[in-house]
Amino acid sequence: MWLLAVQPFGGLRLKQQRCDLIAKAVCAHLTYSSYDGLYPGHIPTTPIQKALLAVGSGVAALQNPYRHDMVAVLGETTGHLALLKLRDRMKNDPEGLTILSERPRIRLSTLDLTAMASLPDGSFGREYLRFLEDNHVTPDSRADVKFVDNEELAYIMQRYREVHDLLHTLLGMPTNMLGEVAVKWFEAAQTGLPMCALGAALGPLRLRGSRLQSLFTSLGPWALQNGSRSRCVLSVFYERRWEQRLEDLRGELNIEPPPVTLGPTGKTSS
């Protein structure tokens, strides 16, 4: 889940609706007029078209943070340089290079939920399944990449989307607002994707009181520090790590446990 922070002011609502319509119109036009894509579902775009999509989708996402389709378009049209750097990091990691070669996907069709449910508590696979059940989410909700004009970079963007919920498990963060913002701070430091940086910058505006204080005094610094120093999280073949203890996987990736424990409502405990 990706969340931003700004609710539209009355005077801006019309402009934001127009940007939303622009993004939709450009997407629709490209969907029906494009051909000969680099991968299934690919929609080739010019720099001008990408700019229009980025502006329209960005404003639409600000207006409604739950517009995951617009958030996805924003990420794809602004992330080229960050994706190049992520590709280099993956190619310089033996496990990451294997992922780029085999192209695994994290979908319900590729997960053995029965086997994962039989794993002991504390194992990565069992805790990931618990996260899916407790938060009522599914890996199948991740949209397919369309606007990245390089097949390998498109896969890296897809992989980023599909490991997002795994990061929640690794970081011990629920899907409430505070948990999402903390994950976004980690992702911004880890990936350099502009979409993540924007979410990290604007996310705190949706927090109040003790939750905002918790973000700035403990969770935020922890997320930034661990995101910047940990091993590339896209270079982990998670599908082969289900039986590994979550604590051991965190240690291998150089990720410290969270300084506070968040409940589903965002309440914290030391």
Side-chain angles (χ1 to χ4, degrees), residues 22-243:
I22 289 173
K24 288 181 178 180
V26 174
C27 287
H29 170 73
L30 294 172
T31 298
Y32 289 109
S33 64
S34 299
Y35 60 94
D36 194 25
L38 299 174
Y39 50 86
H42 173 236
I43 301 176
T45 48
T46 67
I48 293 178
Q49 290 170 330
K50 276 188 171 58
L52 289 173
L53 286 169
V55 172
S57 61
V59 174
L62 287 171
Q63 180 182 9
N64 183 355
Y66 296 95
R67 284 294 306 275
H68 301 299
D69 55 341
M70 293 292 101
V71 173
V73 173
L74 177 63
E76 294 174 29
T77 54
T78 61
H80 181 73
L81 294 179
L83 290 172
L84 288 174
K85 293 179 181 179
L86 287 170
R87 179 175 65 181
D88 290 342
R89 293 181 68 184
M90 294 181 73
K91 287 188 173 182
N92 289 326
D93 184 295
E95 197 170 2
L97 188 59
T98 300
I99 292 171
L100 289 177
S101 175
E102 298 188 14
R103 306 289 179 88
R105 296 290 304 272
I106 301 175
R107 316 287 289 181
L108 285 178
S109 60
T110 66
L111 299 177
D112 188 341
L113 299 183
T114 301
M116 294 172 72
S118 68
L119 293 172
D121 291 342
S123 64
F124 179 57
R126 185 65 190 89
E127 297 309 316
Y128 171 57
L129 181 60
R130 194 189 317 278
F131 168 83
L132 295 178
E133 295 171 341
D134 290 349
N135 293 279
H136 308 289
V137 295
T138 168
D140 287 355
S141 64
R142 303 301 169 187
D144 290 333
V145 174
K146 298 178 180 179
F147 298 108
V148 177
D149 295 330
N150 178 285
E151 188 269 342
E152 191 171 44
L153 297 183
Y155 173 75
I156 294 172
M157 175 62 81
Q158 192 70 48
R159 184 70 175 177
Y160 157 74
R161 288 178 184 170
E162 293 181 4
V163 304
H164 177 79
D165 289 337
L166 297 173
L167 292 185
H168 273 274
T169 304
L170 278 172
L171 300 175
M173 293 291 108
T175 58
N176 56 48
M177 181 60 65
L178 180 55
E180 288 291 352
V181 174
V183 172
K184 201 54 62 182
W185 280 37
F186 178 94
E187 290 180 337
Q190 167 76 197
T191 69
L193 287 166
M195 172 191 66
C196 297
L198 185 62
L202 298 179
L205 298 179
R206 293 181 67 88
L207 299 173
R208 296 290 184 273
S210 61
R211 297 180 186 180
L212 185 61
Q213 181 180 8
S214 179
L215 177 69
F216 283 120
T217 60
S218 59
L219 284 176
W222 162 80
L224 290 175
Q225 182 182 49
N226 283 271
S228 60
R229 75 180 184 184
S230 66
R231 178 183 165 192
C232 179
V233 294
L234 298 185
S235 294
V236 181
F237 214 134
Y238 296 103
E239 297 89 331
R240 299 176 181 175
R241 305 296 194 99
W242 300 135
E243 297 181 4

